[in-house]
Amino acid sequence: MKRIIHTKNAPAAVGPYSQAVEIKGTLYISGQVPIDPSTGEIVGDNVSEQTEQVLRNIGAILEEAGYSYRDVVKSTCFLTDMANFTEMNEVYAGFYTNEQPARAAFAVKGLPLGAMIEIETIAVK
Amino acid sequence: MKYLDKILLFFLVIIIFGSCSTKTVKKVVSLDNITAGRPYSPAIEVGNTLYLSGQIAVDPATGEMIESGIEDQTDQVLKNIKAIVEKAGYSMSDVVKCNVMLSDIEFYGQMNSIYKTYFPEEPPARKAFAVKDLPMGALVEIDAIAIK
């Protein structure tokens, strides 16, 4: 019933978790940080570049699971600094153009591997 | 129209309607003045599940943040949640899960004192924690999932 999603087109997990788990038409995607899957390194010197990489990683996982950005119903965005909110929104809006997912966003004290942004995602189809 | 074309059209119609009936429909729940300029919907409904965006204490009538402390902010946040939940045809008793983000964990008790008045019976599952910072300098943000 539970299906573990794995793709080389998104970064390997950096801890004991799956990239995503699908069950009964709902896909739970782990929080993604801006790791380039080809190098395993964090990329981007600013939040725009980092947000772009995070959303590309999410796209690769969605695709592997047979979903698309249009199926996303909820995102949670973790920033290290609320000052990056607007810049993050600009890139984010380019990936979710209509029927935009519900979302929560806030700044946390720290993120894995020193990332500036992490995004967690739920998709349903 | 040629006979073959009619056959093809017939199958095309069957395929289109067939895919419509199996596809879960994603529905945006929107209020008039709550998300101006932000890349998210107040809530998304799929099937019988409603995913609500994180709400902060912005008064929808003025677009301004309620500035008078954690209790008033919690009250406004839950008013906003209730408005979205009811707009979608759900009720507060359909809320199954909330996440409560506070700007300071010292607010936990005061937040709870207001929160419990919105969920007097069978309160939803919940997690609550303090973050570094919230949008617009809010003291509290709450998101929710409702199922009916």
Side-chain angles (χ1 to χ4, degrees):
Chain A
M1 196 112 91
K2 179 169 107 168
R3 183 163 72 109
I4 303 296
I5 308 302
H6 176 72
T7 173
K8 289 194 170 77
N9 297 325
V14 297
Y17 57 87
S18 302
Q19 288 173 336
V21 175
E22 189 201 26
I23 185 157
K24 289 185 181 174
T26 300
L27 181 69
Y28 297 92
I29 302 180
S30 292
Q32 292 298 306
V33 289
I35 295 172
D36 178 341
S38 63
T39 63
E41 304 286 329
I42 292 270
V43 295
D45 302 325
N46 56 59
V47 82
S48 295
E49 290 170 16
Q50 291 210 354
T51 304
E52 177 96 23
Q53 184 64 50
V54 164
L55 287 161
R56 268 195 249 122
N57 293 345
I58 289 167
I61 296 168
L62 285 165
E63 191 182 350
E64 178 68 26
Y67 289 67
S68 76
Y69 290 110
R70 284 182 308 182
D71 299 316
V72 173
V73 296
K74 176 75 194 285
S75 297
T76 305
C77 302
F78 308 90
L79 297 162
T80 51
D81 191 336
M82 221 48 230
N84 293 329
F85 187 61
T86 306
E87 210 176 317
M88 179 269 291
N89 276 339
E90 281 167 13
V91 177
Y92 184 93
F95 283 82
Y96 296 110
T97 48
N98 42 64
E99 294 190 333
Q100 291 165 317
R103 198 185 78 176
F106 46 88
V108 296
K109 188 178 168 189
L111 290 171
L113 309 178
M116 301 167 81
I117 179 163
E118 172 173 347
I119 304 179
E120 176 193 21
T121 306
I122 303 173
V124 179
K125 70 166 195 179
Chain B
M1 197 185 281
K2 288 178 190 164
Y3 181 68
L4 193 62
D5 288 351
K6 280 182 185 168
I7 297 281
L8 285 172
L9 185 66
F10 174 75
F11 280 107
L12 192 63
V13 167
I14 294 287
I15 288 163
I16 289 167
F17 278 90
S19 64
C20 283
S21 61
T22 54
K23 171 81 182 152
T24 308
V25 179
K26 174 174 163 182
K27 209 170 96 186
V28 172
V29 178
S30 52
L31 295 175
D32 288 340
N33 40 13
I34 210 164
T35 53
R38 295 274 168 80
Y40 55 84
S41 305
I44 293 288
E45 187 188 29
V46 274
N48 59 351
T49 303
L50 186 69
Y51 295 89
L52 277 87
S53 288
Q55 295 300 310
I56 53 175
V58 171
D59 179 348
T62 63
E64 301 288 321
M65 179 83 79
I66 302 285
E67 299 287 1
S68 52
I70 183 64
E71 292 185 345
D72 287 348
Q73 284 212 3
T74 304
D75 193 54
Q76 186 63 52
V77 165
L78 286 159
K79 266 188 203 146
N80 294 348
I81 287 175
K82 190 165 186 274
I84 296 166
V85 162
E86 289 177 355
K87 177 75 187 287
Y90 290 66
S91 77
M92 290 299 266
S93 60
D94 297 320
V95 176
V96 296
K97 175 73 197 287
C98 287
N99 295 312
V100 180
M101 283 68 72
L102 297 165
S103 64
D104 189 331
I105 203 66
E106 293 295 315
F107 295 146
Y108 188 69
Q110 287 165 287
M111 176 275 293
N112 278 338
S113 69
I114 304 298
Y115 182 94
K116 71 182 181 192
T117 66
Y118 283 83
F119 300 109
E121 282 167 18
E122 297 185 334
R126 196 186 81 176
K127 72 173 177 279
F129 51 94
V131 299
K132 184 181 165 189
D133 212 356
L134 291 171
M136 296 175 72
L139 305 178
V140 57
E141 172 175 350
I142 304 178
D143 70 3
I145 300 173
I147 300 179
K148 68 170 185 183

